[in-house]
Amino acid sequence: ENLDFSSMNLVYAEFALSRPTTSTRGPGSNICTTFMNSIRSSDDRLMVLCQEEVKQITVLGMRQQIASLEEGGQWLEALALALDHFESTIVSQEDRRRDQISKNEQSESMLSDPSLLSEDEVWMAELLMRYLKLAIENAPESSSPQFSFSTNKFSDTINFAHSHFEMLSGVCFEYCIVTRRLDLLFGRIFQCFYEARYINVFLDVMESYILNDKLKYVAPEAMALFVEHCKDIKDLQVVERCLLHMETNLMDFDSILSLLKKNLLFTGMFHVYCNGLDDFVSPMELLFEGLFDATDDRSNRRRVDIGERDANSNQLEKYGYKALLYLEYSFNGKYFPKGDAIHPEERLQTIRRDLLDLLFRESYLPQPHARAYGLNHSINGIRTSSHPYLRVLLLIDTNAFLDCLSIVLDDPLARFESTYSDSSIFEYGVGQNVALPHVTLPQLERKVNEILPDRQHLTRVLSSVIMPNSIANANRLLAPTGDCMPSLPDASKPLYLDFLAKYLKKGVVAVPKYVTTEVFTHLCTKKDASEEDVLSLLISISQTSFDLDEILHTVEDAGMTRSALVLHKVGVAQSIDRIGMKEKCEDHFNGAIDCFLTGKEPDFQLGLFSYVRQECAGENTSSIPPEERCNDSCTNAILRNIVLRRLHDFIKVDPIHSAHLVADIFVEDIDRILTSLNGVDNGRVEYEFLNAIISGGLAKVDTVSSQELSANLSFDHHHRYLALMVQFQPDSVYRYLSSSRSYRLDDALKLCQERRITDASAYLLERMGDVSGALQLMLKSLDTRMMTLKHLLRENTGFRGVSRRISANKRWKFHNEAAEKEISGVKQILVAILGLCERNKNEHLTLDNERGPLLWFHVLDRLAHSKSVLRISKESDEQNTSSISTVLSELLLMTMQRMISNVSLYDLMHKITTDYAGSDLGEFREMLVSMLKTYSSELDVCSNAVDVMYHDIRSMCIEKKKLKVRGAYVYRKPYSASPSGTTNEVFKNRIKKSYLGISYDPIHDKSTNALYALKKNRQEIQHESSSGRRGRYQPQLNLLTMSEKRFSLQRRSYSNNFVQCRQVGVLSEAQHVGGLL
């Protein structure tokens, strides 16, 4: 301990040193001071000689120091010093064995046995008690707030007595917690506060220490008063919050549980039972008692019936949601309400088993202590109904309860009892005991409690409670009894049906057919109905688990096409080839076709053809017993007749796939099919079917089928096809006539002339030998179409402004559909005219009975004089004039492009320069100027390419010369001496050749030897001029250029000396020069 003598004025002596120290400077720096004779020790005292008095310092023990502070009235300092003494002596003695003490033992050490206390601990307790009694005796008087009539308020006076006892309680709690004397805290100290009538202050301070995790134990007497205190202030939730911070292994369970049950503190009960007693069922049973009482209360029941759900004011909902929350925690493997994990994992399974047994208990089981704790002991109301525990939770919140149950059912680690038997479940229905198969598992015998109840049993009970009109209720096996049973909410049944559908999809439960029907009805009619849910359920469940007709009617009413298709397929599979089910098979087959036809997605509709092909092939009869099967050919004939009757619907979906289907099944009935299609939709269906066969659409899918159907078509069929094409697609007639010969010319010409199809009629006239008439007819038609185009452009008032965009972009972009269609028709006629000229340039006489290019020139003259024929020059509308001129320019360009390959250039230029020289080449001026500009541009490109080539050749020559005059080091590869000179020389040659990137070839050994001799002579010259040792590798001359080395795989590293920016000396192939663009 350090003592400060600076303020005591001690007696000291000064003396001078014989020689001043080197570290001091200045006069008097060699004077020193000593206190050697001023301090003396004697026994336990220290004598200090001061200038005016002699002081005595005595060494005191810890108790003497504390007693001294106590005599001086410094009680808080004395208590603090006592705590320091406790931590430095008593606590330090326990450090050696502290590691061996477990957490529970450390907690239990807080409750010290008075007979085992040390003398210091007893003395420290007495010190606190003396301070406590003195503080209580000298406490200020209590003062209540005075009411002021002037301000109409209570005065804000400070209650010094309350503050005094609050401070005193804090000192006691802190002191006892540090010294581990909770027996003293809840014994004599608690009694002192109780006698002083300030026990409420003590309890308030105790609450803060508990919530801060400083106090883990409360004596039963203190807890009882604490509960009464919280009840007085109407805040019993404080008790439950404090219990969550206390050690359950230190509690007196009998007393604490009696308090919790008496005051209905269920959250505290859950904590004490689960953490202290490892009992998860008993607190739930007590909570159910409160739930039953609240449900039987008339006011609560009325609120539930009318839908008033206020959790703060309704005790039923308060208890109910607490029970649901507890179930959620427990099923998830957590303690309620702290959320700590439950260990081990096997305990979780037993907890789930116990809670499920409680929830699905068939009848009410009275609690022996319910009456003692103020709970109703009479069995009436909901207690008399079947499965009251399950019913009351469904009454609170069906959705929340089903979610809790799903936690268990969805756990992949959960093990359940034997599953249901398909035959028994549908034979006896829900509500009866199902014979389960015997399971011989050793683990099942050892851990029976870990096996959860059968999921089939759980759903059976839920069905009986939520759906009272079930078979189970009808058999009175699970039917509820009692007159005061509240009804479940209206939303319970839809929620349960969703829950049931989920596990029906998984295949873990089964229900009778009428329940399955209700599930499907709910899925189809609910607000957010989804066909995917219905479809997945249909695929998951067995075909024998539902009534096909009822569900089909429900699905069709909901407009779910895919689901109805699945059901119709099931109906076809169940009725096909069965005796006496012909009409039913036809109905389902027609229904399946209707489902495909009414589908909105094209891919779904195309599934019709594969399904029909499969059914008509008879691939679904393998599972039918022989005694129930009828004649296969009869069934196939029925299905084929249905397909034939509805083939027009198939063709509307896809003509090509329909033709493919006919080729696979009805290839011999093509006449019958075409006869049945005659007149359907005014012949449109028949035309689509024939077009799929004749136009080549079927050949892209199946070449063999296309050839088979085409071979069965006669000239009459082709004539019928041509007649329909003339009616529906007249623009395609010319293309068909020019590519096919399966028609009669006279009949075809008659049809085309009746419909005034010019290009097709001209082509037929050409085939019949009348080329002149064909050309005149087509030119006349061209003039007519041009006049029509002129009128359309004149009438199109919305076309103004578009021509400016066309002239800017050098191309037409018509926005009027009629004008665009007319321009396309004009170009199509011109293509047909040019084709006629090309076919008859040498074989037929011209218009003037002379041979030569007069056919082409006649077409050219007609186009050149089209402006005069159309009277374009007299038009006042510049927009229309510009538009028609642009069209004529395009037609002339098309004609010139075709004439170049068929008419000599001399004749063409002679024609243009002779006939149109007087009008400055007329319409050909712009075209010729464009051709010349194009030729000039191409000539410039070729000239520039030649310049680039010469530049690259010069660059290559310069680079090659640089590489030739520059050498490169070549290192000789070491090799061992060989006794045979010939073998050694061959080995040298191989090394040099491989090093230079040249493959070894024995034929060229002579040149290799000469090259090696040349290199050797150079090495000897360099060796003589150098002063190095023999055996050192010398540089050798490399005769390869860098361009040659780049192609050597063994010398890629040397290619970095040559950096190639771009590849030179490589020219592209020559392009066409002077072509028309």
Side-chain angles (χ1 to χ4, degrees), residues 911-973:
K911 171 69 175 177
I912 294 174
T913 55
T914 302
D915 295 350
Y916 303 99
S919 59
D920 295 333
L921 300 181
E923 299 296 334
F924 302 96
R925 183 180 183 83
E926 183 179 356
M927 186 186 310
L928 294 176
V929 170
S930 177
M931 292 172 58
L932 293 175
K933 288 182 178 180
T934 303
Y935 176 77
S936 177
S937 300
E938 293 180 355
L939 187 61
D940 293 339
V941 172
C942 294
S943 300
N944 294 333
V946 172
D947 294 339
V948 172
M949 180 186 67
Y950 285 134
H951 179 271
D952 290 345
I953 291 174
R954 180 172 177 80
S955 300
M956 292 172 61
C957 293
I958 294 173
E959 186 67 27
K960 191 171 184 179
K961 182 178 180 181
K962 291 180 180 180
L963 296 175
K964 286 182 177 180
V965 299
R966 183 179 64 183
Y969 290 105
V970 178
Y971 295 95
R972 183 178 59 191
K973 205 168 186 178

Side-chain angles (χ1 to χ4, degrees), residues 40-57:
R40 288 290 185 272
S41 62
S42 175
D43 297 333
D44 293 335
R45 297 178 300 173
L46 184 65
M47 308 300 296
V48 179
L49 179 62
C50 300
Q51 295 181 6
E52 297 180 356
E53 59 182 345
V54 177
K55 292 189 176 183
Q56 175 182 333
I57 299 175

Side-chain angles (χ1 to χ4, degrees), residues 639-652:
L639 298 181
R640 291 186 179 186
N641 289 332
I642 295 174
V643 174
L644 288 177
R645 289 198 304 266
R646 307 199 59 176
L647 185 61
H648 61 278
D649 295 327
F650 290 33
I651 297 173
K652 292 179 181 179

Side-chain angles (χ1 to χ4, degrees), residues 608-620:
L608 168 66
F609 303 98
S610 60
Y611 171 70
V612 170
R613 186 179 291 104
Q614 179 182 2
E615 293 296 338
C616 293
E619 300 178 3
N620 294 331

Side-chain angles (χ1 to χ4, degrees), residues 603-669:
D603 294 339
F604 173 72
Q605 291 181 340
L606 293 179
L608 168 66
F609 303 98
S610 60
Y611 171 70
V612 170
R613 186 179 291 104
Q614 179 182 2
E615 293 296 338
C616 293
E619 300 178 3
N620 294 331
T621 61
S622 59
S623 60
I624 301 176
E627 63 274 7
E628 299 180 7
R629 186 182 303 174
C630 63
N631 190 2
D632 294 341
S633 60
C634 179
T635 303
N636 292 335
I638 294 173
L639 298 181
R640 291 186 179 186
N641 289 332
I642 295 174
V643 174
L644 288 177
R645 289 198 304 266
R646 307 199 59 176
L647 185 61
H648 61 278
D649 295 327
F650 290 33
I651 297 173
K652 292 179 181 179
V653 174
D654 193 301
I656 296 177
H657 284 81
S658 300
H660 192 200
L661 179 64
V662 170
D664 291 342
I665 304 176
F666 310 104
V667 66
E668 298 178 356
D669 299 331

Side-chain angles (χ1 to χ4, degrees), residues 955-997:
S955 300
M956 292 172 61
C957 293
I958 294 173
E959 186 67 27
K960 191 171 184 179
K961 182 178 180 181
K962 291 180 180 180
L963 296 175
K964 286 182 177 180
V965 299
R966 183 179 64 183
Y969 290 105
V970 178
Y971 295 95
R972 183 178 59 191
K973 205 168 186 178
Y975 55 89
S976 59
S978 175
S980 176
T982 305
T983 305
N984 193 12
E985 192 68 22
V986 173
F987 182 71
K988 291 179 183 179
N989 295 335
R990 290 182 179 179
I991 291 177
K992 294 302 177 181
K993 289 184 178 182
S994 62
Y995 187 69
L996 295 174

